[in-house]
Amino acid sequence: MIRAAILRLLAEVGYGALTMDAVAAEAGVGKATIYRRWRTKQDLVADTITELNATTVTPPDTGSLEGDLREVLYAIVDVINGPMGAATQSLLSTVPHHPALGAAFGDGPVGVWRRAFAQVFARAEARGELRPGLAGTVTAEALMAPLVQRWLITGHPVTRDYADQVLADVALPLLRATWKPRG
Amino acid sequence: MIRAAILRLLAEVGYGALTMDAVAAEAGVGKATIYRRWRTKQDLVADTITELNATTVTPPDTGSLEGDLREVLYAIVDVINGPMGAATQSLLSTVPHHPALGAAFGDGPVGVWRRAFAQVFARAEARGELRPGLAGTVTAEALMAPLVQRWLITGHPVTRDYADQVLADVALPLLRATWKPRG
């Protein structure tokens, strides 16, 4: 698959050293196939980023805020440790220097994750577990931020065990303290 | 100053395109001065990272946990928006591919910030505002993580206003809910 080949190459050699020919070779297709679809390397990468950002994560409905949050955090762990995580890390220092890539990147994978959280919040609001309005707040950003920090800066492993700790020690206590329904 | 020149170049051209000659030119010194101090580009960058990681941030003692946390968060905002923030961002995708840089990078600026938080926690513990043992926990990591997430992924501005929001909506409620002294 061409997109998988692009992600592998971004992770391995980075945007600077990526070539259309290498993408064709890695994907096992002819160069004409690549050039028919994308005119330049920048088109190809921007298009790949746009597709990734359009990914929909639908967290399973476990029936509780705790269960749903765990599923979203696990999904984030899986993305971080997969080909998209490695490609994203490799792109991050390139994006600010290429306006077209920056525009396509936007909030990157965090946008996808934010939408998944918004679904979980909506369900919890409907069940009366949360006050309405959490999506889009700094509190909502904080629920996934420790995973992102480990992934990008400290390089410590981002595991499901770590997600469990973030859930138990950060996400649930914070939401209970500040987003409990009134009355 | 040579270190400032190295940071500027890392931010502008990245590790891949950095040269010893460019460092000499940017710093306004002779090449011999650079080569006398560092044998290779990798030595030069690893040494710069090591110096940065040895930086000590001593947060002013404001007399309260809230005041001290605000000072540390503001200090982080200033680093993120300064030459060290730009250089770090540029290095992040390079570090995993160069074992010597990775070893020097360690936890990066987060290590410096973690030590500043540890001082603030120790003062608050001494005043009876916090239970002992917060330093090193996932909760402690979570206090700065929203700033790191904005800085590295979403690219939204990391301002003192944003730090105030993180303090009011995330850090203080979380600590009050989970690290209040018993009894």
Side-chain angles (χ1 to χ4, degrees):
Chain A
M1 207 190 129
I2 298 175
R3 201 206 293 175
I6 296 168
L7 292 181
R8 277 197 303 276
L9 284 173
L10 280 173
E12 273 164 35
V13 306
Y15 180 78
L18 188 94
T19 64
M20 302 285 267
D21 291 1
V23 169
E26 179 80 19
V29 300
K31 292 180 201 178
T33 306
I34 303 295
Y35 282 100
R36 210 176 298 129
R37 203 153 150 199
W38 299 285
R39 215 169 40 87
T40 64
K41 169 170 96 169
Q42 183 174 288
D43 289 347
L44 175 150
V45 173
D47 192 42
T48 303
I49 294 171
T50 302
E51 276 183 61
L52 289 174
N53 286 353
T55 307
T56 306
V57 173
T58 306
D61 189 345
T62 67
S64 76
L65 176 60
E66 175 168 352
D68 281 10
L69 286 175
R70 181 177 291 111
E71 292 297 331
V72 178
L73 292 172
Y74 283 0
I76 295 175
V77 167
D78 293 347
V79 170
I80 286 176
N81 292 304
M84 182 175 162
T88 300
Q89 181 157 35
S90 162
L91 275 171
L92 280 175
S93 60
T94 306
V95 159
H97 303 296
H98 298 267
L101 294 186
F105 192 77
D107 287 346
V110 164
V112 177
W113 300 336
R114 197 180 282 139
R115 290 192 294 277
F117 274 108
Q119 286 183 63
V120 165
F121 300 156
R123 288 180 200 152
E125 288 165 13
R127 281 190 307 261
E129 282 192 86
L130 285 178
R131 280 191 286 127
L134 175 56
T137 64
V138 174
T139 305
E141 280 181 47
L143 305 183
M144 60 181 139
L147 280 74
V148 169
Q149 176 169 271
R150 277 216 167 187
W151 170 36
L152 295 178
I153 289 250
T154 68
H156 296 187
V158 181
T159 61
R160 291 189 167 208
D161 274 357
Y162 182 67
D164 285 335
Q165 282 184 62
V166 170
L167 181 67
D169 296 348
V170 178
L172 291 175
L174 182 61
L175 293 180
R176 283 183 191 130
T178 60
W179 284 85
K180 247 191 311 218
R182 288 196 186 90
Chain B
M1 208 191 128
I2 299 175
R3 201 207 291 176
I6 296 168
L7 292 181
R8 277 198 303 277
L9 284 173
L10 280 174
E12 273 164 35
V13 306
Y15 180 77
L18 188 95
T19 64
M20 303 285 268
D21 290 2
V23 169
E26 178 81 19
V29 300
K31 292 180 202 178
T33 306
I34 303 295
Y35 281 100
R36 211 176 299 130
R37 202 151 150 202
W38 299 285
R39 214 167 42 86
T40 65
K41 170 171 97 169
Q42 183 174 289
D43 288 349
L44 174 150
V45 173
D47 191 42
T48 303
I49 294 171
T50 303
E51 276 183 62
L52 290 173
N53 285 354
T55 308
T56 306
V57 174
T58 306
D61 189 345
T62 67
S64 76
L65 176 61
E66 176 168 352
D68 280 11
L69 286 175
R70 182 177 291 110
E71 292 297 331
V72 177
L73 292 172
Y74 283 0
I76 294 176
V77 167
D78 293 347
V79 170
I80 285 176
N81 292 305
M84 183 173 161
T88 300
Q89 181 159 34
S90 163
L91 274 171
L92 280 177
S93 62
T94 307
V95 159
H97 302 295
H98 298 266
L101 294 186
F105 192 77
D107 287 346
V110 165
V112 177
W113 299 336
R114 195 180 283 139
R115 290 192 295 276
F117 275 108
Q119 285 182 64
V120 165
F121 300 156
R123 288 180 200 152
E125 288 165 12
R127 283 190 306 261
E129 282 192 87
L130 285 178
R131 282 189 285 126
L134 176 56
T137 65
V138 173
T139 305
E141 280 180 47
L143 305 182
M144 60 180 138
L147 280 74
V148 169
Q149 176 170 271
R150 277 215 168 188
W151 169 36
L152 295 178
I153 289 250
T154 69
H156 297 186
V158 180
T159 61
R160 289 188 169 212
D161 275 355
Y162 183 66
D164 286 335
Q165 283 185 62
V166 169
L167 181 67
D169 296 348
V170 178
L172 291 175
L174 182 60
L175 293 181
R176 283 184 191 130
T178 60
W179 285 84
K180 249 194 308 223
R182 288 196 187 89

